[in-house]
Amino acid sequence: MNCLNVCHILGISTLLPEEISLILDTAESLKEILDRPIKKVPLLRGKTVVHLFFEPSTRTRLSFELAAKRLGADTIGISAGASSVKKGETLIDTVRNIEAMRPDVIVIRHPYSGTPYLLTQYVKSAVINAGDGINEHPSQALLDVFTVREHLGHIEGLKVAILGDILHSRVAHSDILAFTKMGAEVVVSGPGTMLPPRQSQVLGARVVLRTEEAIEDADVIIALRIQRERQDQSLIPSIREYATFFGLWPERLRLARPGVLIMHPGPINRGVEMAPEVADGPYSVILDQVTNGVAVRMALLALLFKKGE
Amino acid sequence: MRPLLFTNARIIDPGQDWDFLGRLLVENGIIAAVGQSLEVPEDARTIDLKGKWLVPGLIDIHVHLREPGEEYKETIETGTAAAAAGGFTAVACMANTRPVNDSAGITKFILERAREVAKTRVYPIAAVTVGQRGEQLTEFGDLLSAGAVAFSDDGLPLGARMMRHALEYAKSFDALIISHSEELELSEGGLMNEGRISIELGLKGIPAAAEEVAVFRDVTLAGLTGGRLHIAHVSTKGSVEIIRQAKARGIKVTAETAPHYFSITEEAVIGYNTSAKMNPPLRTEADRVAIIEGIRDGTIDVIATDHAPHSTIEKECEFQLAANGIIGLETSVPLSLNLVRSGHISASQLVRCMSSSPSQILGVAGGSLTPGSPADISVIDSDQTFILTLESLHSMSHNSPFLGKELQGRAILTLIDGRPIYDPEGIASPHQDPL
Ligand SMILES: [Zn+2]
């Protein structure tokens, strides 16, 4: 395979394993550009990428913008509130206006699940989902898989533990789908309020109640960011208690395989999702994730343009 | 008007235990005679139904007509035209208009408009509380005098204390309380049924328990107070079981479901299909099967549509922002006939759920073909297939998950007081006939 089947990157759920491999291979060859003194190739010269963010984001947006610029595309960023509907303009109106400016790719982040999918019904441009509600965050999952493959050489047969708010995390959803599609065994755990009720499986991952059981013999541990407002929603009693019983501490880490990779989608709450010494420890690849994010997003743009031609 | 003689009609009336091929005579707007061979007036026009169903006019106990206040979605005129086309001779309209039907003035307005423009009979359901705000009971006595037939805050469920008081106060008038049973604390923010698919789509779920704890609460309060309770749009297996047990204990409770709950499941939401967004949400296959069993064994008394028109403004948008509800008046007959075709219920049971029981529960006329009753009649061709298209709909809105689907069975003639209100083939009203 040297071309994507899909015309949009809406979620990992719509990608075949071969497509994921193609994206990873492409990212690998593009990553080399990032180490050059002049970090730019003219692959997408004359093309326009619109970044449409209905939710505050610094990291993902920066990463997407950098990826587009490294490939020579023109970029436009638009920030809007999802509530702009209240001002009378609907999302569909907004998007039709943007479409009239003939962009080639629209990268969208939106607080409501399924919005990127809705977009594809109204625009001709390729659409990349940069995170929709509690649904998916495909580029994050792809960069996570890329990072693991880079460090461990393969994905198949690995045990990947994902810890935290599994139910309300788009990163968790996309990670589970991506790692299982690539042949890993995924185990998820977190407080009972953050796991699907009475289900032993979620999206192909095994659900366990004890953090230790998830960590045991894990090759990779992904700790999800805990949103502080979850306290107010009575999902957890306190951040402190979460840290104590569900966080990654050095003694817990001993249950995992030696050399276990520690990952986090960022931004990290030090001392909550994991101890500072874990985040900064020898097996933490958290900063590699950030670098790889640019390479993976370059790959997505490059492959969508190739598909469009 | 000349008398009408229907011959070769499959006459179904569960109240009389009738399901036979025979004749029915309509004279002066009244059902004059029913039988195998009748004495027929000379000037009667004979209509050979060739075995098609002739049933008491269907009655929909749960519709939203949107007038007054949201006439861009539906009006009393268009909503009742849709009803007539769906085989209904009467509809009961919910109180969530703008303004809310919480006073005799609004009830009278609705009835006045209905007299002017409605195709079918219209029975207003008044709000239980002023402005549907859940704080203060409406004037039940005054509203009933004005023509209201029942009380419901529908989509804005009552708190436990208010439900108790409503059931108690309603007893003074032998009035009916219709409950949209939903525990809001459990459903808050939910967009579809909670389960595997809600996770796959990343949509916050509404657990079956949000309905079931409220149904249990409401039947318990009906037991406590002795008030008459009707549970609207039952959607889960657990609710069916709770109502079954309540009935066995002698609690005065009746229940309805809607065709979508026994026809499709939560899978219809896949693709963020806003035409499958409703409250209560479409549930699982196990729920669907349990709803059918509830209809079969009589736990569920009524098939109502919860006809909820919305314009494209409310439906062509992000799933999260889309309004709840679908239209149902023009799809209820074919979808409900599926239960007869599949052998789950008899034709007579179907007519009971769609006509006799609704009339008894609301205490309104109709639901029977007994000679002497008003000639409110639906003629149904149970075999005819058709594709539901935008053009075919009489409703102003077209928010239906069945759009574009092939359906089987439809009303071909609807009469009120012997007068055709829907007769697309001109069966009962050929132009040569002088009025
Ligand atoms: Zn309701």
Side-chain angles (χ1 to χ4, degrees):
Chain A
M1 179 180 267
N2 59 8
C3 198
L4 292 174
N5 285 330
V6 293
C7 305
H8 309 281
I9 306 293
L10 298 178
I12 302 296
S13 62
T14 63
L15 296 175
L16 298 169
E18 303 86 79
E19 290 176 292
I20 296 175
S21 293
L22 174 65
I23 294 165
L24 301 184
D25 295 344
T26 309
E28 201 173 289
S29 59
L30 288 169
K31 191 182 174 186
E32 170 265 331
I33 296 167
L34 300 175
D35 296 324
R36 291 184 193 168
I38 295 168
K39 300 176 179 56
K40 208 158 175 167
V41 288
L43 214 55
L44 304 186
R45 188 186 288 157
K47 304 285 185 182
T48 308
V49 180
V50 172
H51 298 98
L52 189 53
F53 277 61
F54 289 91
E55 213 179 50
S57 153
T58 321
R59 304 155 67 99
T60 304
R61 182 168 171 170
L62 204 65
S63 180
F64 266 111
E65 282 190 3
L66 209 55
K69 289 198 164 103
R70 293 278 186 259
L71 294 174
D74 297 318
T75 66
I76 301 166
I78 299 164
S79 302
S83 59
S84 68
V85 175
K86 286 176 197 142
K87 291 178 215 143
E89 190 179 45
T90 67
L91 172 82
I92 292 165
D93 287 334
T94 307
V95 165
R96 279 181 172 148
N97 270 288
I98 292 165
E99 176 75 355
M101 300 170 202
R102 310 250 183 280
D104 298 283
V105 174
I106 298 177
V107 177
I108 180 171
R109 166 167 290 194
H110 201 280
Y112 302 154
S113 303
T115 306
Y117 179 86
L118 179 72
L119 217 63
T120 61
Q121 297 167 3
Y122 292 90
V123 301
K124 286 191 210 74
S125 331
V127 173
I128 299 178
N129 178 4
D132 64 326
I134 54 170
N135 183 33
E136 282 226 43
H137 191 354
S139 62
Q140 176 71 44
L142 291 166
L143 75 88
D144 287 349
V145 176
F146 182 87
T147 305
V148 171
R149 196 178 79 160
E150 191 176 50
H151 283 269
L152 302 180
H154 64 105
I155 302 296
E156 209 172 329
L158 296 178
K159 180 181 174 184
V160 178
I162 304 178
L163 307 178
D165 190 351
I166 305 304
L167 207 48
H168 311 97
S169 164
R170 56 192 174 209
V171 175
H173 296 170
S174 290
D175 270 340
I176 293 170
L177 292 169
F179 280 102
T180 50
K181 279 191 181 187
M182 299 312 285
E185 181 207 358
V186 181
V187 182
V188 299
S189 191
T193 45
M194 296 176 167
L195 297 174
R198 294 192 311 129
Q199 285 178 40
S200 56
Q201 289 272 323
V202 58
L203 301 169
R206 191 155 58 86
V207 180
V208 299
L209 285 168
R210 285 178 52 252
T211 308
E212 286 77 8
E213 195 183 335
I215 294 175
E216 201 173 350
D217 295 326
D219 300 285
V220 177
I221 300 173
I222 302 172
L224 301 168
R225 177 178 162 77
I226 281 298
Q227 256 131 31
R228 287 180 185 268
E229 60 266 25
R230 296 290 183 230
Q231 276 181 92
D232 312 325
Q233 297 165 345
S234 75
L235 292 181
I236 48 170
S238 67
I239 291 292
R240 178 172 161 269
E241 170 135 319
Y242 180 89
T244 312
F245 289 91
F246 305 98
L248 264 187
W249 300 95
E251 56 272 27
R252 253 186 212 140
L253 220 49
R254 275 183 223 117
L255 296 165
R257 288 257 164 84
V260 59
L261 295 185
I262 305 297
M263 302 175 72
H264 189 289
I268 194 166
N269 293 305
R270 283 174 178 270
V272 179
E273 294 102 7
M274 60 181 73
E277 59 266 43
V278 175
D280 302 330
Y283 305 118
S284 166
V285 292
I286 294 170
L287 289 174
D288 295 13
Q289 287 175 273
V290 179
T291 314
N292 291 339
V294 179
V296 163
R297 288 166 180 130
M298 286 166 78
L300 292 178
L301 289 168
L303 288 167
L304 283 178
F305 279 116
K306 192 172 168 193
K307 169 89 184 173
E309 265 154 19
Chain B
M1 225 167 30
R2 285 167 64 186
L4 288 176
L5 175 71
F6 294 98
T7 60
N8 283 317
R10 181 173 171 189
I11 292 169
I12 305 167
D13 180 345
Q16 325 293 320
D17 217 0
W18 286 347
D19 186 349
F20 64 94
L21 211 57
R23 300 177 153 208
L24 184 144
L25 178 69
V26 173
E27 214 170 2
N28 299 321
I30 301 286
I31 297 172
V34 186
Q36 303 280 5
S37 56
L38 303 174
E39 218 165 284
V40 180
E42 255 175 43
D43 60 337
R45 189 144 46 74
T46 303
I47 300 165
D48 183 352
L49 288 183
K50 301 187 179 90
K52 296 190 177 65
W53 297 19
L54 190 158
V55 305
L58 306 181
I59 300 171
D60 192 342
I61 201 167
H62 191 150
V63 306
H64 299 270
L65 289 179
R66 305 298 188 209
E67 184 179 354
E70 290 180 306
E71 291 86 351
Y72 69 100
K73 296 181 178 180
E74 194 82 284
T75 63
I76 290 170
E77 185 173 6
T78 60
T80 55
F88 294 94
T89 54
V91 295
C93 54
M94 277 296 170
N96 64 334
T97 47
R98 290 180 194 165
V100 169
N101 180 16
D102 60 2
S103 65
I106 308 293
T107 299
K108 283 177 186 156
F109 167 83
I110 293 168
L111 288 170
E112 188 59 35
R113 281 298 287 160
R115 257 190 297 280
E116 290 165 12
V117 300
K119 294 271 191 199
T120 65
R121 300 182 197 279
V122 173
Y123 299 119
I125 295 168
V128 174
T129 65
V130 176
Q132 293 183 304
R133 283 190 294 274
E135 292 159 3
Q136 185 191 348
L137 289 176
T138 56
E139 295 172 332
F140 284 17
D142 205 30
L143 283 156
L144 290 165
S145 305
V149 295
F151 297 89
S152 181
D153 277 3
D154 195 17
L156 298 162
L158 299 170
R161 185 173 53 87
M162 190 53 81
M163 178 57 85
R164 175 189 179 161
H165 290 160
L167 286 164
E168 284 171 339
Y169 188 65
K171 282 202 302 181
S172 305
F173 304 94
D174 192 28
L176 177 73
I177 302 294
I178 301 176
S179 172
H180 166 125
S181 298
E182 175 185 356
E183 173 51 64
L184 294 173
E185 285 210 5
L186 291 175
S187 60
E188 192 189 353
L191 301 167
M192 69 171 296
N193 184 49
E194 179 178 301
R196 184 178 59 83
I197 294 180
S198 69
I199 292 175
E200 280 175 15
L201 295 176
L203 295 173
K204 192 168 186 307
I206 301 171
E211 177 174 313
E212 290 157 4
V213 298
V215 169
F216 192 82
R217 184 201 77 171
D218 291 341
V219 298
T220 306
L221 292 173
L224 171 71
T225 60
R228 276 209 295 141
L229 173 71
H230 176 77
I231 307 282
H233 41 56
V234 170
S235 76
T236 79
K237 187 180 175 182
S239 298
V240 175
E241 188 48 38
I242 293 163
I243 295 163
R244 187 176 285 133
Q245 286 170 10
K247 284 186 163 186
R249 291 206 310 275
I251 291 170
K252 280 190 261 175
V253 60
T254 54
E256 79 193 26
T257 191
H260 36 276
Y261 298 118
F262 59 73
S263 301
I264 52 177
T265 66
E266 55 179 352
E267 306 234 347
V269 178
I270 291 170
Y272 303 94
N273 179 11
T274 58
S275 286
K277 184 179 177 187
M278 61 199 69
N279 186 23
L282 293 169
R283 304 286 188 180
T284 66
E285 180 60 16
D287 294 303
R288 193 185 73 83
V289 169
I291 296 287
I292 295 175
E293 177 56 22
I295 296 170
R296 197 198 60 77
D297 75 4
T299 301
I300 293 173
D301 305 86
V302 169
I303 297 172
T305 65
D306 195 4
H307 179 79
H310 288 294
S311 79
T312 53
I313 301 170
E314 289 85 19
K315 284 293 194 180
E316 279 182 24
C317 60
E318 298 91 315
F319 193 86
Q320 179 142 349
L321 299 178
N324 282 313
I326 65 168
I327 55 170
L329 286 165
E330 294 172 78
T331 47
S332 186
V333 162
L335 295 173
S336 302
L337 274 168
N338 283 337
L339 299 181
V340 179
R341 276 188 284 268
S342 60
H344 287 102
I345 61 171
S346 66
S348 178
Q349 275 178 296
L350 180 72
V351 175
R352 187 187 297 281
C353 288
M354 296 185 73
S355 182
S356 315
S357 293
S359 91
Q360 281 157 17
I361 290 166
L362 290 184
V364 299
S368 161
L369 295 173
T370 334
S373 18
D376 285 12
I377 289 171
S378 306
V379 176
I380 292 165
D381 180 343
S382 59
D383 296 324
Q384 194 184 125
T385 57
F386 66 103
I387 292 176
L388 190 74
T389 61
L390 281 182
E391 300 70 40
S392 70
L393 287 169
H394 295 73
S395 173
M396 273 171 73
S397 295
H398 46 80
N399 48 311
S400 169
F402 303 103
L403 214 56
K405 299 263 168 24
E406 191 182 69
L407 302 173
Q408 189 178 14
R410 70 193 311 185
I412 54 167
L413 173 66
T414 313
L415 304 174
I416 285 188
D417 291 329
R419 203 165 26 81
I421 53 163
Y422 177 71
D423 185 11
E425 295 166 24
I427 302 170
S429 44
H431 32 84
Q432 67 266 29
D433 191 49
L435 282 172

